[in-house]
Amino acid sequence: MGILDKLNAIATTRQTLLPEGVDPFNVVIEKIYSSTEGSIAGQKVILAGTNNYLGLTFDQQCIEAAQESLSKEGTGTTGSRMANGTFSGHRDLEQELALFYGCSNAIVFSTGFVTNLGMISALTGPGDVIVLDADSHASIYDACKMSGAEMIRFRHNNMVDLEKKLKRLGPRTAKTLIIVEGIYSMLGDCAPLAEVAALKQKYGAWVMVDEAHSMGVLGDHGRGMAEAAGVEQEVDFIVGTFSKSLGAIGGYCVSNHPELDLVRYVSRSYVFTASPSPSTIASVRQALRVVQSKPQLRTKLWENADRLYQGLEKLGLELGPDPGPIVAIRVATREKALFAWKSLLDQGIYVNLVFPPAAPAGMSLLRCSISAAHTAEQIDYILKVFSEMQDSFSN
Ligand code: PMP
């Protein structure tokens, strides 16, 4: 038995699951024409699985801000935030994020993934408890393991179960961090955050919300689920990413706890990884301005999301419970899901294929994500293709 045996086992699984020459998990976008169109396997496709909710990857002002920074500040920082990797743009962005959320403190990390690793492992440790939604993102699970805190899962979005778990903890709730997401990344459903916040208050715990998929999407000002639910004051820590609505890469945490600033000294994923490139920071700062100055993008996003969700619902497909920019179609078997994914691609539509365990509850998913930049014609074309092929994969 060598260390490579487990990888060779994956090759066997891949062989049984994927026909020769088809690998939905290694797709190359050969050309990218806009935030909604690219080329895959020599064919022009509509990109309907990108998390590019506001379509800002091709926003002219974001591109210009990045280009200007690139020529003035160079290609990278070549160092971590704690060493030589904090330029004035990183600090400016932190202030702008704090202002946007009306919070006293903000901290910028290199990705959303390492934000969760860094924040959760800095906030909790042995002797503490993390109570997390069972459908939490992999970065949250990994962070919980890293932290050494006791990890307790509650059933997805089930407030009775959350309360049961908190009640059992007794006085330990004072050292308990509850973690939920604003919009869940796979099924696109929302956390019942007002109820989570009420339970946090009742049991004297702490709460963190990952707004990766809800920032720029929910709330009158685009601040996410906490804003939409009216509980920003009750949420202790909001984490998010620059890789979705803001169209770049990086992550952040905002909070009114001044101790957030001290996380910089203990968070290994802040101290020991290079900081985002200055041009990335420049485009994110501009994108944050766009989120604030163009609420019409959010309106358009929701119009598009509703058009797709309602159209697919009319076809009788089994969808995630809440309409929104993530529209997940549940498919009974991996084989059917793979067949449908390939048929969509052959007809010029790229969506995400998700197999368990990445998809919850043993399901396979065709995961679409919609953007403010999609046109009604693109969405109608997606609906037309789904209607023509639905018999081949509906459950
Ligand atoms: N949190 C959630 C809920 C996510 O869905 C993701 C990415 N899909 C992340 C964190 C990680 O973000 P990033 O891609 O910026 O590392």
Side-chain angles (χ1 to χ4, degrees):
M1 290 285 276
I3 59 169
L4 297 178
D5 289 353
K6 52 192 167 303
L7 294 178
N8 289 323
I10 293 169
T12 316
T13 315
R14 185 173 63 179
Q15 236 163 29
T16 50
L17 286 177
L18 304 174
E20 196 59 35
V22 182
D23 190 347
F25 310 114
N26 271 308
V27 167
V28 178
I29 298 179
E30 293 149 354
K31 287 185 187 153
I32 180 97
Y33 304 116
S34 71
S35 54
T36 62
E37 285 185 333
S39 165
I40 295 174
Q43 192 195 356
K44 195 168 180 182
V45 296
I46 298 171
L47 299 168
T50 62
N51 311 305
N52 196 352
Y53 300 123
L54 301 179
L56 294 186
T57 51
F58 276 80
D59 179 273
Q60 202 45 43
Q61 287 177 308
C62 292
I63 291 174
E64 280 165 19
Q67 281 170 337
E68 196 188 332
S69 158
L70 202 51
S71 52
K72 284 191 179 152
E73 299 177 276
T75 53
T77 66
T78 68
S80 87
R81 292 294 314 273
M82 189 177 234
N84 56 304
T86 296
F87 289 12
S88 57
H90 297 82
R91 281 297 192 169
D92 292 342
L93 176 55
E94 286 174 345
Q95 278 168 16
E96 288 155 8
L97 282 165
L99 210 61
F100 175 62
Y101 281 98
C103 282
S104 58
N105 292 74
I107 177 166
V108 163
F109 289 83
S110 302
T111 69
F113 197 105
V114 304
T115 302
N116 277 334
L117 293 188
M119 281 308 307
I120 294 167
S121 63
L123 291 172
T124 60
D128 299 324
V129 183
I130 298 169
V131 179
L132 76 162
D133 187 286
D135 281 7
S136 291
H137 189 257
S139 57
I140 297 174
Y141 273 101
D142 288 1
C144 292
K145 276 191 218 150
M146 261 176 70
S147 76
E150 184 184 346
M151 182 170 115
I152 300 173
R153 268 180 287 198
F154 65 93
R155 265 181 263 134
H156 177 53
N157 275 352
N158 186 323
M159 294 299 101
V160 174
D161 198 35
L162 173 58
E163 177 152 27
K164 197 165 90 187
K165 306 259 147 92
L166 290 172
K167 206 181 255 174
R168 258 192 223 147
L169 285 167
R172 292 181 72 201
T173 51
K175 296 181 113 207
T176 295
L177 180 67
I178 304 167
I179 306 179
V180 296
E181 296 177 21
I183 292 181
Y184 283 87
S185 57
M186 289 299 135
L187 292 179
D189 50 344
C190 297
L193 200 56
E195 293 170 66
V196 173
L199 288 173
K200 163 231 142 116
Q201 298 286 73
K202 182 172 172 189
Y203 290 93
W206 304 73
V207 72
M208 170 183 277
V209 183
D210 184 338
E211 301 265 24
H213 294 271
S214 35
M215 189 270 185
V217 170
L218 292 176
D220 286 346
H221 302 88
R223 294 198 294 266
M225 189 66 216
E227 184 192 10
V231 293
E232 287 174 291
Q233 291 311 311
E234 285 87 85
V235 172
D236 296 282
F237 302 96
I238 287 177
V239 288
T241 172
F242 303 150
S243 70
K244 304 186 196 304
S245 286
L246 298 176
I249 183 166
Y252 63 94
C253 177
V254 293
S255 174
N256 277 322
H257 295 292
E259 291 86 350
L260 180 65
D261 208 44
L262 302 171
V263 165
R264 298 180 200 275
Y265 298 95
V266 293
S267 169
R268 294 169 72 82
S269 67
Y270 180 88
V271 175
F272 295 108
T273 195
S275 62
S277 300
S279 55
T280 299
I281 294 293
S283 87
V284 170
R285 290 180 66 195
Q286 181 54 34
L288 190 59
R289 278 178 220 126
V290 175
V291 167
Q292 294 167 87
S293 62
K294 292 192 179 162
Q296 63 269 29
L297 286 178
R298 228 164 10 263
T299 312
K300 184 71 173 44
L301 169 65
W302 277 95
E303 255 172 50
N304 284 347
D306 287 340
R307 192 180 189 96
L308 184 68
Y309 190 93
Q310 282 161 19
L312 292 174
E313 201 173 38
K314 263 193 215 135
L315 293 177
L317 297 178
E318 237 183 275
L319 307 178
D322 298 330
I326 299 170
V327 184
I329 299 137
R330 302 167 195 249
V331 185
T333 66
R334 290 176 200 237
E335 291 72 21
K336 281 183 175 182
L338 179 64
F339 178 82
W341 178 86
K342 181 72 172 65
S343 308
L344 287 165
L345 195 62
D346 289 343
Q347 294 179 79
I349 300 165
Y350 171 78
V351 303
N352 309 121
L353 176 67
V354 191
F355 282 167
M363 291 176 260
S364 289
L365 301 176
L366 294 167
R367 177 188 180 274
C368 308
S369 65
I370 215 71
S371 161
H374 282 113
T375 61
E377 290 71 35
Q378 287 174 322
I379 296 169
D380 290 346
Y381 176 70
I382 297 171
L383 289 170
K384 176 174 155 292
V385 172
F386 266 104
S387 76
E388 287 165 0
M389 55 179 265
Q390 89 181 97
D391 287 345
S392 61
F393 70 92
S394 53
N395 303 325

